[in-house]
Amino acid sequence: MGHPNVIYIHSHDTGRYIQPYGYAVKTPNLQRFAEQSVLFRNAYSAAPTCSPSRASLLTGQYPHQNGMVALAHLGGRLTEPSHHLASFLKTNGYATALAGVQHVASAERLPDLGYDRLLYTENPPVWVNDFESQNDWFAQAACDYILKSDGQQPFFLDCGFMLTHRMGDGEQWHTTRHAPEGDARYVRPPAPLPDTPEVRQDFADFRVAAYRLDACVGRVLEALKLAGLAHNTLVVITTDHGIAYPLMKCNLTSHGTGVLLMMRYQTSGLHGGRVMDGLVSHVDLFPTICEVAGLTAPDWLEGSSLMPMVSAGDTIRDEAFAEVNWHAAAEPMRSVRTLRYNYIRRFTPQEGPVLPNCDDSVTKTLLRQADWDHRAQVTEELYDLVFDPNEACNCASDVSYADVLVEMRGRLQRWMEQTDDPLLTGRLEPWPDTKTKLPGEDSPQGDWSAAGPITVEV
């Protein structure tokens, strides 16, 4: 049998807030897929920000290694575009296509990534003029590609949805033409947020966006079934990072880096509705795809294939790393996570949160009214994930955790040294044309400034 097709389906800002992970968020197509695939309950992105997270998954390298230290549309880019999964698979005989969002390269750099076809640009219908219909078109473009496949050449299809990103006036979960739509009466907000009418409505609207995402994903999966290709196609479904709330997206707790991850390939062990509890990083997906496809993994990869975990229950890692450099504003941070602990270090702590790195919302407004702006940041955070799974109680100054703190500091230091992390030089350099917000600003909206080097405390 030849190489399998590979379909990479990804969403924006969904975290794990879908039905298969036990949340009251109706996503029937994703639930059905979970029951046919392998679901990873402890999967984490390498960055809780959009372009760095996606770039890490698609290169198998951490952001400070692959160059994606900022958002692609604000100047971030890959140092070696040939390390992108599409480029790698193309050199190994795959047809490559993009349907929808990619957010790893700006428009002028997109040809460098290795896609043969940009499906969403090919004859878009006249009704593609707003957020919801664009996502529908991304799904339709992917479906058409799958249904027209002749089976003569394996393909890699990158299918990205803008859902569930905040959009529209006031950064709601969809355009104002449809908002608000969610029924807030019986909603429980995510763990780090207060249970108030405003937050309940905000999360009710997120659930509507997640349901729309699910419908788009369902169309792609149905096309794969109708084309008779499901048996020879590896399907990966994930998201970039946590949902766009204060204390979640752009934070290094599980609220920011915890991601949904499901994989299905019927001729391997990636099927049957199985659940894996082992620690997984997005950087492990590239080597996994290589093993499933029977390809020699390139030497730049930092992750490990998930197949030993799937086939024999073996642990492939006992630690997972993540980082932030620039999002809307600079906020250099690093973290190391085990199944028991999460350690976070901030390299430029300030008096309060870096507000431009939190999307605007009614929930953000509520927290600011409660004086969130002046809640002190700290250099180090340590969370005991057994006794504090919501990562709310910082144990870094607790003497009973002194030995754990030393161990976790050591883990982070070794990783930074092994990966040549530029923060160890005391200086973080942006790409020359990177745009930024200043930390003192309060919103990601409005004008941008030119980013300059950041001096950090080593």
Side-chain angles (χ1 to χ4, degrees):
M1 181 180 293
H3 300 310
N5 306 310
V6 179
I7 300 181
Y8 161 53
I9 301 174
H10 50 103
S11 65
H12 233 317
D13 299 5
T14 311
R16 297 185 184 130
Y17 286 85
I18 59 172
Q19 188 176 343
Y21 283 83
Y23 294 100
V25 179
K26 186 178 181 181
T27 52
N29 292 299
L30 290 169
Q31 178 64 35
R32 187 177 306 112
F33 183 82
E35 294 166 4
Q36 303 166 350
S37 66
V38 174
L39 181 148
F40 298 88
R41 293 198 68 91
N42 276 300
Y44 296 89
S45 66
T49 64
C50 308
S51 301
S53 168
R54 297 164 189 269
S56 293
L57 186 156
L58 290 165
T59 65
Q61 298 174 296
Y62 296 102
H64 68 265
Q65 294 177 299
N66 62 38
M68 192 64 67
V69 295
L71 299 178
H73 67 288
L74 297 178
R77 68 197 74 166
L78 294 176
T79 304
E80 296 288 347
S82 62
H83 287 184
H84 190 283
L85 181 62
S87 180
F88 171 80
L89 291 177
K90 183 175 182 178
T91 63
N92 282 276
Y94 276 73
T96 57
L98 171 65
V101 174
Q102 50 84 26
H103 210 187
V104 176
S106 58
E108 63 270 20
R109 296 188 176 91
L110 184 53
D112 299 333
L113 298 187
Y115 297 106
D116 295 322
R117 294 175 62 186
L118 306 179
L119 304 177
Y120 62 94
T121 67
E122 299 176 3
N123 302 314
V126 295
W127 48 261
V128 179
N129 57 6
D130 64 22
F131 181 53
E132 282 80 12
S133 58
Q134 285 172 6
N135 284 272
D136 289 338
W137 170 235
F138 298 159
Q140 186 61 53
C143 292
D144 291 344
Y145 182 84
I146 293 168
L147 292 169
K148 292 176 182 177
S149 173
D150 59 11
Q152 299 301 304
Q153 182 183 14
F155 63 78
F156 169 64
L157 175 59
D158 182 337
C159 183
F161 296 104
M162 194 66 175
L163 293 161
T164 52
H165 199 286
R166 289 187 184 271
M167 298 292 289
D169 295 339
E171 295 259 40
Q172 298 307 301
W173 295 107
H174 30 73
T175 59
T176 53
R177 180 167 61 87
H178 295 294
E181 288 193 3
D183 185 344
R185 292 177 298 170
Y186 311 114
V187 171
R188 180 178 180 178
L193 301 174
D195 186 356
T196 70
E198 299 93 337
V199 182
R200 286 196 297 272
Q201 184 63 66
D202 202 9
F203 192 61
D205 291 348
F206 167 85
R207 298 200 308 174
V208 172
Y211 186 71
R212 289 176 175 157
L213 167 67
D214 180 80
C216 290
V217 173
R219 291 173 60 187
V220 178
L221 296 175
E222 182 64 19
L224 188 64
K225 179 181 177 181
L226 291 174
L229 298 175
H231 71 287
N232 192 37
T233 300
L234 168 63
V235 181
V236 179
I237 301 181
T238 189
T239 188
D240 49 6
H241 47 67
I243 57 179
Y245 277 102
L247 313 176
M248 301 185 80
K249 177 180 177 179
C250 206
N251 285 271
L252 292 176
T253 62
S254 60
H255 306 300
T257 59
V259 292
L260 66 96
L261 175 62
M262 299 178 286
M263 303 179 71
R264 185 185 74 186
Y265 183 39
Q266 294 179 1
T267 58
S268 75
L270 292 164
H271 60 84
R274 301 168 62 203
V275 172
M276 300 282 109
D277 284 306
L279 203 57
V280 171
S281 170
H282 264 169
V283 297
D284 298 324
L285 291 182
F286 199 137
T288 303
I289 292 169
C290 288
E291 181 168 349
V292 171
L295 302 173
T296 301
D299 58 9
W300 66 75
L301 299 183
E302 291 287 339
S304 301
S305 172
L306 299 174
M307 295 313 294
M309 177 189 293
V310 173
S311 61
D314 294 342
T315 299
I316 66 163
R317 60 170 60 247
D318 63 0
E319 57 191 8
F321 301 94
E323 66 183 83
V324 176
N325 297 290
W326 274 270
H327 187 54
E331 191 174 6
M333 298 184 284
R334 301 291 185 265
S335 72
V336 56
R337 169 183 298 277
T338 65
L339 284 176
R340 178 65 188 269
Y341 300 104
N342 185 29
Y343 171 74
I344 302 169
R345 181 176 172 189
R346 293 178 177 273
F347 287 81
T348 56
Q350 62 178 48
E351 179 183 354
V354 182
L355 292 170
N357 286 342
C358 179
D359 292 2
D360 293 341
S361 66
V362 295
T363 300
K364 178 179 178 180
T365 298
L366 179 71
L367 265 62
R368 295 193 68 195
Q369 290 171 345
D371 206 29
W372 183 41
D373 294 20
H374 298 104
R375 289 181 68 87
Q377 289 186 349
V378 294
T379 300
E380 294 182 301
E381 298 171 62
L382 177 67
Y383 299 104
D384 186 330
L385 305 178
V386 170
F387 294 104
D388 180 26
N390 285 327
E391 298 175 64
C393 181
N394 183 9
C395 299
S397 60
D398 187 330
V399 294
S400 66
Y401 286 90
D403 291 342
V404 175
L405 182 62
V406 170
E407 178 198 348
M408 298 299 282
R409 282 173 178 164
R411 286 176 181 264
L412 188 66
Q413 181 72 19
R414 285 191 296 273
W415 171 72
M416 293 177 70
E417 292 172 354
Q418 291 166 0
T419 58
D420 293 323
D421 193 324
L423 291 189
L424 293 176
T425 68
R427 185 179 174 90
L428 183 63
E429 296 271 359
W431 287 96
D433 54 355
T434 300
K435 299 294 187 291
T436 187
K437 289 287 184 178
L438 302 178
E441 297 183 60
D442 61 7
S443 172
Q445 305 301 318
D447 296 332
W448 297 88
S449 303
I454 301 296
T455 301
V456 303
E457 302 173 4
V458 181

Coordinates of all heavy atoms in Angstrom, one line a residue, residues 40 42-46 56-62 236 261 263 278-292 301-309 315-321:
F40 N -6.5 12.4 22.5 CA -5.4 12.6 23.5 C -5.9 13.7 24.5 O -6.1 14.8 24.1 CB -4.2 13.1 22.7 CG -3.6 12.1 21.8 CD1 -4.1 12.0 20.5 CD2 -2.7 11.1 22.2 CE1 -3.7 11.1 19.6 CE2 -2.2 10.2 21.3 CZ -2.7 10.1 20.0
N42 N -4.3 14.9 27.2 CA -3.2 15.8 27.7 C -2.3 16.3 26.6 O -1.1 16.1 26.7 CB -2.4 15.0 28.8 CG -3.1 15.1 30.2 OD1 -3.3 16.2 30.7 ND2 -3.4 13.9 30.7
A43 N -2.9 16.8 25.6 CA -2.2 17.4 24.5 C -2.1 18.9 24.7 O -3.0 19.6 25.1 CB -2.9 17.2 23.2
Y44 N -0.9 19.5 24.4 CA -0.6 20.9 24.6 C 0.1 21.5 23.4 O 0.9 20.8 22.7 CB 0.3 21.1 25.8 CG -0.4 20.6 27.1 CD1 -0.3 19.3 27.5 CD2 -1.1 21.5 27.8 CE1 -1.0 18.9 28.7 CE2 -1.8 21.1 29.0 CZ -1.7 19.8 29.4 OH -2.4 19.3 30.5
S45 N -0.3 22.7 23.1 CA 0.4 23.5 22.1 C 1.8 23.9 22.6 O 2.0 24.0 23.8 CB -0.4 24.7 21.6 OG -0.5 25.6 22.7
A46 N 2.7 24.3 21.6 CA 4.0 24.8 22.0 C 4.0 26.3 22.2 O 5.0 26.8 22.7 CB 5.0 24.4 20.9
S56 N 4.9 25.6 15.1 CA 5.5 24.6 15.8 C 5.0 23.2 15.4 O 5.7 22.2 15.2 CB 5.3 24.8 17.3 OG 6.1 25.9 17.7
L57 N 3.7 23.1 15.3 CA 3.1 21.9 14.8 C 3.6 21.5 13.4 O 3.9 20.3 13.1 CB 1.5 22.0 14.8 CG 0.7 20.8 14.5 CD1 -0.7 20.9 15.1 CD2 0.5 20.5 13.0
L58 N 3.6 22.5 12.5 CA 3.9 22.2 11.1 C 5.4 22.1 10.8 O 5.8 21.7 9.7 CB 3.2 23.2 10.3 CG 1.7 23.1 10.2 CD1 1.1 24.4 9.7 CD2 1.3 21.9 9.4
T59 N 6.3 22.5 11.8 CA 7.7 22.3 11.6 C 8.3 21.3 12.5 O 9.4 20.8 12.3 CB 8.5 23.6 11.7 OG1 8.4 24.1 13.1 CG2 8.0 24.7 10.8
G60 N 7.6 21.0 13.6 CA 8.2 20.1 14.6 C 9.2 20.7 15.4 O 10.0 20.1 16.1
Q61 N 9.3 22.1 15.4 CA 10.2 22.9 16.2 C 9.5 23.9 17.0 O 8.4 24.3 16.7 CB 11.2 23.6 15.2 CG 12.0 22.6 14.4 CD 12.9 23.4 13.4 OE1 12.3 24.1 12.5 NE2 14.2 23.4 13.5
Y62 N 10.2 24.3 18.1 CA 9.6 25.4 18.9 C 9.7 26.8 18.3 O 10.6 27.0 17.4 CB 10.3 25.4 20.3 CG 10.1 24.1 21.0 CD1 11.0 23.1 21.1 CD2 8.8 23.8 21.7 CE1 10.8 21.9 21.7 CE2 8.6 22.6 22.3 CZ 9.6 21.7 22.4 OH 9.3 20.5 23.0
V236 N -6.1 14.3 11.1 CA -5.7 15.0 12.4 C -6.6 16.2 12.6 O -6.7 17.0 11.8 CB -4.2 15.5 12.3 CG1 -3.8 16.2 13.6 CG2 -3.3 14.3 12.0
L261 N -7.1 17.2 20.6 CA -6.3 16.5 19.6 C -6.9 15.1 19.4 O -7.0 14.3 20.3 CB -4.8 16.4 20.0 CG -3.9 15.5 19.0 CD1 -3.9 16.1 17.6 CD2 -2.5 15.4 19.6
M263 N -6.9 11.8 16.3 CA -6.3 11.3 15.1 C -7.0 10.0 14.7 O -7.2 9.1 15.6 CB -4.8 11.1 15.3 CG -4.1 12.3 15.7 SD -2.3 12.1 16.0 CE -1.7 11.8 14.3
G278 N -1.5 10.1 28.3 CA -0.1 10.5 28.3 C 0.1 11.9 27.8 O -0.7 12.5 27.1
L279 N 1.2 12.5 28.2 CA 1.6 13.9 27.9 C 2.0 14.0 26.4 O 2.8 13.2 25.9 CB 2.7 14.4 28.8 CG 2.9 15.9 29.0 CD1 1.7 16.5 29.6 CD2 4.1 16.1 29.9
V280 N 1.4 14.9 25.7 CA 1.6 15.1 24.2 C 1.8 16.6 23.9 O 1.2 17.4 24.5 CB 0.4 14.5 23.4 CG1 0.5 14.9 22.0 CG2 0.3 13.0 23.6
S281 N 2.8 16.8 23.0 CA 3.0 18.2 22.5 C 2.7 18.3 21.0 O 2.8 17.3 20.3 CB 4.4 18.6 22.8 OG 4.7 19.8 22.1
H282 N 2.3 19.4 20.6 CA 2.1 19.6 19.1 C 3.3 19.3 18.3 O 3.2 18.9 17.1 CB 1.6 21.1 18.9 CG 0.2 21.3 18.7 ND1 -0.4 22.5 18.7 CD2 -0.9 20.4 18.6 CE1 -1.7 22.4 18.6 NE2 -2.0 21.1 18.5
V283 N 4.5 19.4 18.9 CA 5.7 19.1 18.1 C 5.8 17.6 17.8 O 6.7 17.2 17.0 CB 7.0 19.6 18.8 CG1 7.0 21.2 18.9 CG2 7.2 19.0 20.2
D284 N 5.0 16.8 18.5 CA 5.0 15.4 18.2 C 4.2 15.0 17.0 O 4.3 13.8 16.6 CB 4.4 14.6 19.5 CG 5.2 14.9 20.7 OD1 6.5 15.0 20.6 OD2 4.6 14.9 21.8
L285 N 3.5 15.9 16.4 CA 2.6 15.5 15.3 C 3.4 15.2 14.0 O 3.1 14.3 13.3 CB 1.5 16.5 15.0 CG 0.5 16.6 16.1 CD1 -0.6 17.6 15.8 CD2 -0.2 15.2 16.3
F286 N 4.4 16.0 13.7 CA 5.2 15.9 12.5 C 5.9 14.5 12.5 O 5.7 13.7 11.5 CB 6.2 17.0 12.4 CG 6.8 17.2 11.1 CD1 7.0 18.5 10.6 CD2 7.3 16.2 10.3 CE1 7.6 18.8 9.3 CE2 7.8 16.4 9.0 CZ 8.0 17.7 8.5
P287 N 6.6 14.1 13.6 CA 7.2 12.7 13.6 C 6.1 11.6 13.5 O 6.4 10.6 13.0 CB 8.0 12.7 14.8 CG 7.5 13.8 15.7 CD 7.0 14.9 14.7
T288 N 5.0 11.9 14.1 CA 3.9 10.9 14.0 C 3.4 10.7 12.6 O 3.3 9.5 12.1 CB 2.7 11.3 14.9 OG1 3.1 11.5 16.2 CG2 1.6 10.2 14.9
I289 N 3.2 11.8 11.9 CA 2.8 11.7 10.5 C 3.9 11.0 9.6 O 3.6 10.1 8.8 CB 2.5 13.1 9.9 CG1 1.3 13.7 10.6 CG2 2.4 13.1 8.4 CD1 1.0 15.1 10.3
C290 N 5.1 11.3 9.9 CA 6.2 10.6 9.2 C 6.1 9.1 9.4 O 6.3 8.3 8.5 CB 7.6 11.1 9.7 SG 8.0 12.7 9.1
E291 N 6.0 8.6 10.7 CA 5.9 7.2 10.9 C 4.7 6.5 10.3 O 4.8 5.5 9.6 CB 5.9 6.9 12.4 CG 5.9 5.4 12.7 CD 6.1 5.1 14.2 OE1 6.5 6.0 15.0 OE2 5.9 3.9 14.6
V292 N 3.5 7.2 10.4 CA 2.3 6.6 9.8 C 2.5 6.5 8.3 O 2.0 5.6 7.6 CB 1.1 7.4 10.2 CG1 -0.1 7.0 9.4 CG2 0.8 7.3 11.7
L301 N 13.5 17.7 13.7 CA 12.3 17.6 14.6 C 12.7 17.5 16.0 O 13.7 16.8 16.4 CB 11.6 16.3 14.1 CG 11.0 16.3 12.7 CD1 10.2 15.0 12.5 CD2 10.1 17.5 12.5
E302 N 11.9 18.1 16.9 CA 12.1 18.1 18.3 C 11.2 17.1 19.0 O 11.5 16.7 20.2 CB 11.9 19.5 18.9 CG 12.9 20.5 18.5 CD 14.2 20.3 19.2 OE1 14.2 19.6 20.3 OE2 15.2 20.8 18.7
G303 N 10.1 16.7 18.4 CA 9.2 15.8 19.0 C 9.4 14.4 18.8 O 10.4 13.9 18.2
S304 N 8.5 13.5 19.3 CA 8.6 12.1 19.2 C 7.2 11.6 18.6 O 6.2 12.1 18.9 CB 8.8 11.4 20.5 OG 10.0 11.9 21.1
S305 N 7.3 10.5 17.9 CA 6.1 9.9 17.3 C 5.2 9.4 18.4 O 5.7 8.9 19.4 CB 6.4 8.7 16.4 OG 5.3 8.0 16.0
L306 N 3.9 9.6 18.2 CA 2.9 9.1 19.2 C 2.6 7.6 19.1 O 1.9 7.1 19.9 CB 1.6 9.9 19.0 CG 1.7 11.4 19.3 CD1 0.4 12.1 18.9 CD2 2.1 11.8 20.7
M307 N 3.1 7.0 18.0 CA 2.7 5.6 17.8 C 3.1 4.6 18.9 O 2.3 3.7 19.1 CB 3.2 5.2 16.4 CG 2.6 6.0 15.2 SD 0.8 6.1 15.3 CE 0.3 4.4 15.1
P308 N 4.2 4.8 19.5 CA 4.5 3.9 20.7 C 3.5 4.0 21.8 O 3.1 3.0 22.4 CB 5.9 4.3 21.1 CG 6.5 4.9 19.9 CD 5.4 5.6 19.2
M309 N 3.0 5.2 22.0 CA 1.9 5.4 23.0 C 0.6 4.7 22.6 O 0.0 4.0 23.3 CB 1.7 6.9 23.2 CG 0.5 7.2 24.2 SD 0.1 9.0 24.2 CE 1.5 9.7 25.0
T315 N 4.9 5.7 27.4 CA 5.1 7.1 27.6 C 6.1 7.7 26.7 O 7.3 7.1 26.7 CB 5.4 7.5 29.1 OG1 4.4 7.0 30.0 CG2 5.6 9.0 29.3
I316 N 5.8 8.7 25.9 CA 6.8 9.2 25.0 C 7.5 10.5 25.5 O 8.6 10.8 25.0 CB 6.2 9.5 23.6 CG1 5.2 10.7 23.7 CG2 5.5 8.3 23.0 CD1 4.8 11.3 22.4
R317 N 7.0 11.1 26.5 CA 7.6 12.3 27.1 C 7.1 12.4 28.5 O 6.0 12.1 28.9 CB 7.3 13.5 26.3 CG 5.9 13.9 26.2 CD 5.7 15.3 25.6 NE 6.2 15.5 24.2 CZ 7.3 16.3 24.0 NH1 7.8 17.0 24.9 NH2 7.7 16.4 22.7
D318 N 8.0 13.0 29.4 CA 7.6 13.3 30.8 C 7.5 14.8 31.0 O 7.3 15.2 32.2 CB 8.5 12.6 31.8 CG 9.9 13.0 31.7 OD1 10.2 13.9 30.9 OD2 10.7 12.5 32.5
E319 N 7.7 15.6 30.0 CA 7.6 17.0 30.1 C 7.2 17.6 28.8 O 7.5 17.0 27.7 CB 9.0 17.6 30.6 CG 10.1 17.2 29.6 CD 11.5 17.5 30.2 OE1 11.6 17.9 31.4 OE2 12.5 17.4 29.5
A320 N 6.6 18.7 28.8 CA 6.2 19.4 27.6 C 6.4 20.9 27.8 O 6.2 21.5 28.9 CB 4.7 19.2 27.3
F321 N 7.0 21.6 26.8 CA 7.4 22.9 26.9 C 6.5 23.9 26.0 O 5.9 23.4 25.0 CB 8.8 23.1 26.4 CG 9.8 22.2 27.2 CD1 10.1 20.9 26.8 CD2 10.3 22.7 28.4 CE1 11.0 20.1 27.5 CE2 11.2 21.9 29.2 CZ 11.5 20.6 28.7

